[in-house]
Amino acid sequence: MDTASASSKVISLSSAEGKTLLKNVSKSKAGGLVQPILYTIFTKQVTPAGCGMQSCAMLLSANDLGKQYDAQSFMTIKPSSFDSGLVVYTEQSMYSFPQTLQVTSSAAVSKYGMTLSEVATVLQNHGCTVKEVHSSHSSPAEFRSDLADALSHFDSRCGIIVNFSRSKLWPNIHRSHHSPLGAYDPTTDCVLVLDTGIEMSSFWVSVEDLFTAMSTRDYVVNKSRGYCVACK
């Protein structure tokens, strides 16, 4: 299902335009940024509320692989042919680590999902240095700077997860969500959201529109949503 095509604000990665953007960024000499390891190993969440935990798993796995393999070699590997057995962290395996269980549990995530702070704390407990940013205390300029810095780590030593409301991008979908970013194109000022949603396509969206989607309130903690940068 190519749900992303239902919004005028996003460009589905599976569309011709979306594929061209990724191809151009991967070959760009004008500052295009892409993380080939994260893009190659990326998989969807397996439970309805598992977006935050799957996002954590993807960043930790990409970081782990970046320390073992040459990131450049991932530029020629198709995601469908990648050996998934090399991926240490998955949404479900995350609950086998005490570092995760110090923050939340499978039962709690199933019922409540995860807040931005919980995502940040899980990553921190797994050894990452984390910058947690709530949009109410930030700006599109700071977000653009932070995502460009994170995505400049070709080997996925740093990564970024965004927490946003889908309703600002898809008016008929009223859900909050977490997903990692996989690329940035400075020419169009668009980022690639590797959407963990089971029925959603990964998509390109402008920095301004994504920041607007993050500038919504999470009433569980009565704070705005935002993003976290994790480095290890």
Side-chain angles (χ1 to χ4, degrees), residues 4 18 34 37 40 43 55 80 90 169 176 179 211 220 227:
V34 63
I37 300 176
T40 300
T43 54
S55 296
S80 59
T90 66
L169 303 176
S176 61
S179 280
F211 189 82
V220 173
Y227 62 94

Side-chain angles (χ1 to χ4, degrees), residues 9-84:
K9 292 187 176 182
V10 308
I11 302 168
S12 172
L13 178 59
S14 62
S15 69
E17 185 179 1
K19 292 175 182 177
T20 298
L21 273 172
L22 182 60
K23 181 179 180 180
N24 291 345
V25 168
S26 299
K27 296 182 177 180
S28 174
K29 295 181 180 179
L33 303 169
V34 63
Q35 292 195 336
I37 300 176
L38 178 62
Y39 173 76
T40 300
I41 71 168
F42 176 74
T43 54
K44 301 283 192 177
Q45 66 197 74
V46 295
T47 63
C51 57
M53 196 61 73
Q54 178 65 358
S55 296
C56 290
M58 290 293 92
L59 254 60
L60 291 171
S61 290
N63 180 278
D64 181 64
L65 289 167
K67 295 174 182 177
Q68 301 179 58
Y69 301 96
D70 178 10
Q72 186 65 39
S73 66
F74 282 77
M75 294 291 287
T76 57
I77 300 175
K78 293 183 178 180
S80 59
S81 63
F82 178 73
D83 181 4
S84 60

Side-chain angles (χ1 to χ4, degrees), residues 4 8 16 55 68 102 120 127 130 133 168 174 217:
S8 60
S55 296
Q68 301 179 58
Q102 289 170 5
V130 179
V133 181
K168 296 298 181 180
H174 300 284
R217 187 157 295 276

Side-chain angles (χ1 to χ4, degrees), residues 57-177:
M58 290 293 92
L59 254 60
L60 291 171
S61 290
N63 180 278
D64 181 64
L65 289 167
K67 295 174 182 177
Q68 301 179 58
Y69 301 96
D70 178 10
Q72 186 65 39
S73 66
F74 282 77
M75 294 291 287
T76 57
I77 300 175
K78 293 183 178 180
S80 59
S81 63
F82 178 73
D83 181 4
S84 60
L86 296 175
V87 175
V88 175
Y89 302 94
T90 66
E91 177 192 339
Q92 292 176 314
S93 75
M94 287 292 288
Y95 298 111
S96 67
F97 295 96
Q99 298 96 318
T100 302
L101 297 178
Q102 289 170 5
V103 182
T104 189
S105 66
S106 177
V109 170
S110 177
K111 187 173 182 179
Y112 302 110
M114 294 178 71
T115 65
L116 177 63
S117 293
E118 287 174 327
V119 166
T121 305
V122 166
L123 292 169
Q124 189 171 37
N125 283 5
H126 280 270
C128 296
T129 299
V130 179
K131 177 182 180 181
E132 177 186 344
V133 181
H134 292 267
S135 57
S136 59
H137 295 91
S138 183
S139 66
E142 181 184 11
F143 176 46
R144 183 180 294 105
S145 176
D146 282 344
L147 71 87
D149 182 62
L151 295 175
S152 70
H153 292 262
F154 191 68
D155 58 3
S156 290
R157 294 298 180 93
C158 286
I160 181 168
I161 294 172
V162 292
N163 177 213
F164 61 98
S165 172
R166 288 199 186 277
S167 64
K168 296 298 181 180
L169 303 176
W170 294 272
N172 295 326
I173 304 178
H174 300 284
R175 294 196 301 268
S176 61
H177 193 60

